[in-house]
Amino acid sequence: MTKKNLYLFALLFVPFPAFSMHIMEGYLPLEWSVVWSLVFIPFIIVGTKSIKQLIAQSPEKRMVLAMVVAFAFVLSSLKMPSVTGSSSHATGMAFGTALVGPSSMGIVGTIVLLFQVFLLAHGGITTLGANAFAMAFIGPVVSYIVFKVLKKSGIKFRISLFSAAVIGNLATYVFTSLQLALAHPDASSGIGGAFIKFIGIFGLTQVPVAIVEGLLTVMVVNLLIGNDFVKESELFSFKAFSQIKTRGVAHGTK
Amino acid sequence: MAQNKQFKLQNYILLIICLLIPIIALYVGGDSEFGGADGMAAELIDAEGNGYVPWIDNIWAPPGGETESLLFSLQSAIGAGVLFYFIGFIKGKKAGINAK
């Protein structure tokens, strides 16, 4: 336990940049900064609750959380060249979603974003809410839905997982483009035109990177399954949310 | 055990594809410097001529490329360290159980 804590500690207090899709500091007008920050507050509350309950129920989840953050750190520090002649990096959010559920990812993402803001000047305080919403909410939730839908329609586990990671990653960038377009509509073609412009920058660059993220996610999950750590059926289980509900009821009756 | 071999083989194949994608991208991308996509979006907003001026600046930025690359490599080193500590841990655990 002390060792696990030490690792988590190290992760929390060492400066790291993370996800490249951040909207840069100052590039969202004040009103949009406020809007996205307010929108993201409920997810921080839900995330904190869900992580607390995760650890309260099974302390060994601490280590899983550390690994989820670690995976996100590795992926996000590797800025890969893409076919468009620009670079971007993966988020690792789908992997975390598979292991700890989408509700915990809000916190995981926010922590990494914060360090990036303070120590690497990537993203920003005023754009934190917008960036966190796109990366730590839209990404994990899209991944989760994609996985569930594909799995239900009888597609194989690994293909579902791969698709969930790829589409979740792309969804984050699509949403970031939308956020930018809303804040900076094109003078002649409006929000739609601006959206197409931003998606042209983020979207194309991101496709190969998203595919790499998908492949790496499958590789690490293969390692976990191969070493009997998790079963296929346990991944993407929505335990985090049901825990909140059942525990809430239990408290109420006591 | 047979299942594990299958995982290993699959992982090697996936690893090769992972390496191929950026390599191909470097060829296709041509003479580009492969700058970050987020910076390009900021440039686009600056170039639009709507007169948008970023109204706040980063609180702290690394003084230069060297410090920035230090922080980035530190990030991946610690991330990889924790990730593979964990994988080693569960591998050893499994081996311990099998040895009994």
Side-chain angles (χ1 to χ4, degrees):
Chain A
M1 170 120 169
T2 47
K3 215 169 212 175
K4 287 173 207 159
N5 280 341
L6 198 75
Y7 275 98
L8 205 61
F9 223 69
L11 282 178
L12 294 184
F13 290 93
V14 177
F16 295 119
F19 314 95
S20 80
M21 76 283 287
H22 314 302
I23 302 169
M24 308 268 263
E25 183 82 294
Y27 277 87
L28 272 188
L30 181 61
E31 59 268 30
W32 283 108
S33 302
V34 174
V35 166
W36 291 117
S37 302
L38 289 178
V39 165
F40 196 66
I41 287 172
F43 295 102
I44 294 199
I45 297 168
V46 171
T48 317
K49 248 186 174 169
S50 120
I51 285 189
K52 264 188 191 160
Q53 278 161 11
L54 213 63
I55 291 171
Q57 290 202 332
S58 45
E60 70 269 15
K61 284 274 179 189
R62 231 178 273 260
M63 218 165 143
V64 179
L65 272 171
M67 182 181 58
V68 164
V69 180
F71 185 75
F73 277 173
V74 178
L75 282 197
S76 53
S77 68
L78 304 174
K79 293 191 249 180
M80 276 174 284
S82 181
V83 284
T84 50
S86 54
S87 293
S88 192
H89 50 80
T91 66
M93 288 287 125
F95 177 71
T97 311
L99 283 173
V100 296
S103 54
S104 302
M105 295 312 287
I107 296 294
V108 172
T110 307
I111 290 169
V112 190
L113 280 169
L114 268 177
F115 285 116
Q116 188 156 19
V117 170
F118 284 117
L119 290 144
L120 274 132
H122 283 245
I125 292 289
T126 60
T127 56
L128 181 71
N131 288 328
F133 189 78
M135 184 191 79
F137 173 68
I138 298 288
V141 166
V142 169
S143 290
Y144 180 80
I145 294 170
V146 167
F147 182 84
K148 286 283 170 182
V149 168
L150 289 182
K151 202 78 225 307
K152 266 223 170 105
S153 47
I155 288 164
K156 277 188 181 161
F157 170 77
R158 278 171 190 74
I159 298 175
S160 305
L161 180 66
F162 171 77
S163 315
V166 172
I167 297 171
N169 183 312
L170 290 176
T172 301
Y173 283 83
V174 170
F175 199 79
T176 301
S177 304
L178 184 68
Q179 285 172 325
L180 280 170
L182 285 171
H184 301 282
D186 193 80
S188 52
S189 53
I191 292 171
F195 177 66
I196 289 167
K197 263 193 322 201
F198 287 118
I199 208 99
I201 291 177
F202 283 121
L204 269 177
T205 305
Q206 201 58 27
V207 172
V209 178
I211 292 171
V212 171
E213 164 157 12
L215 295 172
L216 287 172
T217 304
V218 175
M219 280 169 73
V220 178
V221 168
N222 268 350
L223 280 173
L224 296 185
I225 294 173
N227 287 301
D228 299 337
F229 177 69
V230 281
K231 294 194 192 80
E232 287 183 13
S233 56
E234 286 168 1
L235 292 169
F236 281 101
S237 54
F238 219 50
K239 273 180 199 149
F241 276 139
S242 59
Q243 272 167 11
I244 288 170
K245 273 182 197 158
T246 51
R247 282 180 68 90
V249 171
H251 275 288
T253 50
K254 264 175 197 173
Chain B
M1 270 298 142
Q3 197 198 16
N4 263 4
K5 267 196 176 152
Q6 196 199 323
F7 283 145
K8 261 187 194 161
L9 180 70
Q10 191 181 33
N11 271 2
Y12 284 130
I13 296 168
L14 293 179
L15 183 67
I16 291 168
I17 305 173
C18 276
L19 293 174
L20 277 178
I21 290 175
I23 291 169
I24 292 169
L26 279 175
Y27 275 103
V28 177
D31 292 335
S32 168
E33 276 183 21
F34 294 95
D38 44 3
M40 285 166 66
E43 275 166 31
L44 186 78
I45 294 168
D46 288 338
E48 250 169 26
N50 295 346
Y52 185 81
V53 181
W55 53 283
I56 183 164
D57 218 5
N58 286 107
I59 295 167
W60 184 82
E66 298 301 331
T67 316
E68 195 175 3
S69 70
L70 165 80
L71 292 171
F72 268 109
S73 26
L74 203 60
Q75 173 189 2
S76 47
I78 293 194
V82 174
L83 186 64
F84 289 103
Y85 168 84
F86 186 85
I87 289 172
F89 179 81
I90 58 173
K91 213 178 163 89
K93 208 168 158 187
K94 189 192 173 191
I97 291 168
N98 286 346
K100 269 179 197 167

